[in-house]
Amino acid sequence: MNMITTTEELKDACGRLSRHPFITIDTEFLRETTFWPKLCVVQLASTDEAVVIDALAEGIDLAPFFDLMSDEKVLKVFHAGRQDIEIVWHLAGIIPHPVFDTQVAAMVLGHGDSISYDQLVQRLTGHVLDKSLRFTDWSRRPLTPAQVAYAEADVTHLRDVFLRLDADLKKRGRADWVGEEMAVLTSPETYRQEPERAWERLRSRARKPRDLAVLMEVTAWREREAQARDMPRSRILKDDVIGEIASQHPSSVEKLGQLRSIPKGFERSRSGEAIVEAVKAGLARDPKTLPRIERDKPLSNGASATVELLKVLLRMTSEQHGVAAKVIATVDDLEQIASEEEPDVPAMHGWRRELFGERALALKGGRLALAMQRGRVIAVERIAAPATDA
């Protein structure tokens, strides 16, 4: 067990790890009381060794770790790695590359939707992991031997999981499928949290253009405050409060204080004044510059029935090819396929289109039928009947 607490030790370890074609990575962090994740521990492993890095050790410089993350010669293996990658992005402004996510690979290989790490380890290796320290306080020092052993296990077993998944992907010709999914994980757009786009999370709370304008300004203010003060958004202003502000447009501190969701006296605080200014800025926006408010249109009876058929086809495809249904298509995908002439959804691109999309269009167009055979659903190609004169 190798516990790293100095920059020199970290530099030496990363030098050794960089000589391997792949390494496994995990992090331990806290986020309950902050906006940005607080990195506490980093675990790394090659086929030769595993190291646990105390990211909170006094004087340690994580630059060698970040250099390793950007080393194109080394594949970085994560399980459900989005939050781990986000930490690297936030602290160093880089995206680890190239990467491999075992949770995504497991979905592509039919191990279920968003399978947990301990379940995947048990299924592929037979090891039962001790997860009793999952919710431990990783910021408290010194770390106990049990904590260090727990952290190390998260990357040592990940080596075996990766090797098994990688071999299965290559055997079944699906390595490129995972590669397509990694493009999202390695895109900076996935991790940028721009205040001007914060409204998109709450878009459904805006009923009218004026509501949307106020919503955009208030959510941007909250995002800037949360980032600057390193506090969770909800501790600055809860979503429900923003929804009421967006619908009521309080243009003075007195009107703000009259809202049911505002705590007594809040309107007289610095935040209260800032919110009123944000409301005024929203009301002053030119409605022509606002994004269009998209309304969820109810599906027609025909489209609703088509969606139900597509769900059956999706499940059949998932079972037939051993791919988690969730990674092939979502319910939103199915609804767009059913109701639009040229649906631009993930299920209509790449390997998904080849596996499911083309058949979905054929089912919708009447060129494919679903039937029962020996208790199982099967797809049957239909031959169009010749046109006849009236």
Side-chain angles (χ1 to χ4, degrees):
M1 194 176 300
N2 193 355
M3 183 71 177
I4 291 176
T5 58
T6 70
T7 305
E8 195 61 32
E9 291 172 337
L10 179 60
K11 182 178 179 181
D12 291 343
C14 289
R16 296 191 302 272
L17 293 166
S18 68
R19 294 193 285 270
H20 292 263
F22 79 90
I23 58 172
T24 55
I25 308 162
D26 191 28
T27 64
E28 308 297 343
F29 57 90
L30 299 180
R31 201 172 195 168
E32 289 78 6
T33 60
T34 62
F35 182 90
W36 306 109
K38 180 181 179 181
L39 181 60
C40 301
V41 177
V42 180
Q43 307 98 278
L44 303 171
S46 67
T47 53
D48 289 346
E49 66 175 321
V51 298
V52 177
I53 305 162
D54 182 357
L56 299 180
E58 185 176 356
I60 194 168
D61 183 351
L62 296 178
F65 166 66
F66 297 135
D67 289 342
L68 181 60
M69 291 299 94
S70 59
D71 189 337
E72 292 284 340
K73 299 187 298 296
V74 181
L75 178 67
K76 274 69 74 172
V77 179
F78 300 88
H79 181 85
R82 181 164 177 161
Q83 291 191 88
D84 304 305
I85 294 172
E86 181 189 13
I87 290 173
V88 177
W89 166 256
H90 170 60
L91 293 178
I94 61 171
I95 300 289
H97 193 272
V99 302
F100 182 100
D101 193 307
T102 55
Q103 187 178 72
V104 174
M107 293 171 70
V108 165
L109 292 169
H111 290 286
D113 295 342
S114 304
I115 187 170
S116 68
Y117 176 62
D118 51 323
Q119 290 176 324
L120 189 58
V121 168
Q122 184 172 3
R123 180 176 298 180
L124 295 183
T125 71
H127 290 287
V128 178
L129 298 182
D130 177 9
K131 304 301 290 183
S132 60
L133 294 177
R134 178 178 299 178
F135 301 111
T136 191
D137 183 354
W138 290 99
S139 66
R140 184 175 298 176
R141 295 294 182 270
L143 294 171
T144 67
Q147 285 177 303
V148 176
Y150 173 95
E152 186 185 57
D154 274 348
V155 286
T156 53
H157 292 295
L158 189 55
R159 295 180 300 203
D160 297 328
V161 167
F162 164 68
L163 291 171
R164 284 169 170 75
L165 292 175
D166 187 51
D168 198 10
L169 287 169
K170 291 174 180 175
K171 178 180 178 181
R172 297 164 70 175
R174 297 182 182 180
D176 290 343
W177 296 12
V178 174
E180 290 182 27
E181 299 308 298
M182 294 306 99
V184 176
L185 269 183
T186 55
S187 170
E189 291 300 317
T190 302
Y191 307 99
R192 288 196 179 109
Q193 302 191 55
E194 299 170 354
E196 292 71 24
R197 296 180 59 181
W199 66 273
E200 295 174 357
R201 296 177 52 252
L202 303 178
R203 67 170 70 233
S204 63
R205 296 176 184 264
R207 300 295 179 185
K208 298 176 293 186
R210 280 164 61 89
D211 298 352
L212 178 59
V214 172
L215 180 79
M216 293 174 72
E217 293 292 341
V218 176
T219 53
W221 169 82
R222 182 180 69 168
E223 195 78 1
R224 287 191 292 269
E225 283 289 298
Q227 292 184 15
R229 295 161 63 179
D230 196 16
M231 294 176 61
R233 296 181 184 93
S234 61
R235 293 199 179 185
I236 304 297
L237 205 63
K238 295 184 182 300
D239 289 350
D240 289 343
V241 180
I242 291 182
E244 187 176 8
I245 292 171
S247 65
Q248 297 300 317
H249 319 152
S251 56
S252 68
V253 292
E254 291 77 20
K255 291 180 179 179
L256 180 65
Q258 293 170 8
L259 300 185
R260 290 188 302 173
S261 59
I262 293 293
K264 186 177 180 180
F266 176 85
E267 73 277 8
R268 295 190 296 272
S269 68
R270 181 181 66 85
S271 293
E273 294 175 357
I275 291 170
V276 169
E277 290 303 313
V279 171
K280 291 179 180 178
L283 295 175
R285 293 185 68 146
D286 181 353
K288 296 179 181 179
T289 66
L290 299 175
R292 184 178 178 181
I293 299 177
E294 299 290 343
R295 300 292 183 203
D296 291 333
K297 298 179 181 179
L299 296 174
S300 66
N301 290 336
S304 294
T306 303
V307 169
E308 295 306 312
L309 288 174
L310 290 172
K311 288 179 180 178
V312 176
L313 178 65
L314 176 61
R315 182 172 180 179
M316 184 189 76
T317 303
S318 169
E319 294 175 351
Q320 179 182 353
H321 294 278
V323 184
K326 180 180 177 181
V327 81
I328 300 174
T330 66
V331 173
D332 287 343
D333 289 350
L334 301 185
E335 290 182 352
Q336 285 188 246
I337 293 170
S339 59
E340 297 179 9
E341 287 296 323
E342 297 182 2
D344 184 15
V345 295
M348 288 291 111
H349 299 281
W351 64 268
R352 291 180 178 85
R353 184 179 184 112
E354 182 180 344
L355 197 70
F356 172 76
E358 289 291 350
R359 302 178 88 194
L361 293 176
L363 179 64
K364 175 185 172 181
R367 302 186 305 278
L368 190 74
L370 300 178
M372 294 295 298
Q373 184 180 75
R374 298 175 184 175
R376 295 175 62 249
V377 178
I378 62 170
V380 180
E381 291 187 12
R382 298 184 64 207
I383 299 176
T388 58
D389 294 333

